[in-house]
Amino acid sequence: MLDQIQLDFFKTYKKVESEELILQPIEGENSKWSSNAMFDFTPLHIERSRGNLSFTDISEEKPKTAIITEAVYHKNKLVTLKNWNGNVLTGMSVFSYDQSNKIKIISVSIDEDDQELRGLTIFSIQNNKIVDKTQASIYGAFTEHYIYSNDQLIEIKISKRIDYINETIDTIDGISNVPDHNFSYLIEYKNDKLFQIIGENGSNILKV
């Protein structure tokens, strides 16, 4: 799975670089705003670098801070994320939905009129729940598998590969021989509230 999305990322990266593909935003009827929100579909977003559970504020009103994210909705579906620095568009992500219960997201950074592919993400849905997230970026690729019990998320199984784009862009298919790193997060609840997240080393990494 990681090989395939890295190959897709590599091909799309080349198309964006050559301007064969220029990403255009999908406009909608209304927007939501945040100065720190991930607008992530995942049932539980963990900031990997800090081990923190991410709580974010999403508002109907545009924040007064310079660096903000605008989430654009069309027919109640999130279709475009726009990253703003003041009045300057610095990046965007465009969402597409298909009939096989998958959501595909293409993300680019923007410097004046130049775009650079930053990420390619695919979500899989079953029974109205996100069950898989697979992503390739300039930093490598990973897949997350979400396991539920009684409608509660109880485990996240992760396979991760660090493959920097500057090390792979000149290869034939954009994939190097970096091994996959496999690990899990165990999610525990107390009185139906999130209690702790057990990380790789067996300790609680939840910090609120």
Side-chain angles (χ1 to χ4, degrees):
M1 184 176 289
L2 292 185
D3 283 351
Q4 183 59 54
I5 197 164
Q6 279 199 295
L7 179 58
D8 292 344
F9 178 86
F10 177 78
K11 291 178 179 178
T12 309
Y13 187 96
K14 288 291 193 180
K15 288 181 179 180
V16 173
E17 186 179 48
S18 66
E19 298 186 350
E20 178 184 348
L21 172 63
I22 299 176
L23 200 64
Q24 300 292 338
I26 300 173
E27 301 300 342
E29 300 82 31
N30 63 296
S31 294
K32 294 183 180 181
W33 304 84
S34 181
S35 57
N36 64 349
M38 298 298 294
F39 289 98
D40 197 341
F41 286 115
T42 52
L44 182 63
H45 176 77
I46 299 172
E47 292 181 345
R48 309 297 182 210
S49 59
R50 287 181 255 167
N52 295 340
L53 180 66
S54 179
F55 292 95
T56 55
D57 297 319
I58 299 173
S59 173
E60 302 287 339
E61 297 183 2
K62 184 177 179 179
K64 295 181 179 179
T65 53
I67 299 177
I68 55 177
T69 301
E70 176 187 3
V72 180
Y73 291 83
H74 175 60
K75 295 182 179 179
N76 296 319
K77 283 187 176 181
L78 178 58
V79 291
T80 305
L81 289 180
K82 298 179 182 179
N83 305 116
W84 296 96
N85 187 347
N87 294 321
V88 178
L89 185 64
T90 59
M92 66 177 160
S93 299
V94 176
F95 296 65
S96 61
Y97 301 78
D98 66 20
Q99 299 301 314
S100 61
N101 289 325
K102 291 186 182 296
I103 304 169
K104 183 178 180 180
I105 308 168
I106 300 177
S107 303
V108 297
S109 60
I110 302 172
D111 184 6
E112 295 183 349
D113 292 329
D114 294 328
Q115 295 186 359
E116 182 181 10
L117 185 67
R118 305 297 290 182
L120 190 64
T121 307
I122 298 174
F123 288 98
S124 298
I125 303 171
Q126 290 180 7
N127 300 321
N128 296 317
K129 291 185 178 67
I130 299 292
V131 292
D132 289 295
K133 174 184 180 180
T134 305
Q135 183 179 83
S137 72
I138 60 173
Y139 304 111
F142 68 86
T143 186
E144 296 182 344
H145 179 61
Y146 306 104
I147 299 173
Y148 300 86
S149 176
N150 298 323
D151 290 330
Q152 284 187 326
L153 178 69
I154 60 170
E155 185 176 2
I156 306 174
K157 291 186 176 182
I158 302 170
S159 183
K160 192 173 186 179
R161 178 186 296 166
I162 302 298
D163 242 349
Y164 291 101
I165 191 67
N166 61 348
E167 297 173 357
T168 62
I169 199 64
D170 293 325
T171 63
I172 295 175
D173 56 8
I175 301 171
S176 69
N177 294 320
V178 176
D180 295 350
H181 177 44
N182 301 306
F183 57 100
S184 296
Y185 289 109
L186 299 178
I187 317 299
E188 297 185 2
Y189 301 85
K190 190 174 184 178
N191 298 323
D192 287 329
K193 292 184 178 180
L194 184 62
F195 175 59
Q196 60 183 5
I197 304 172
I198 306 301
E200 288 184 82
N201 60 4
S203 63
N204 181 20
I205 64 170
L206 174 61
K207 301 173 185 177
V208 180

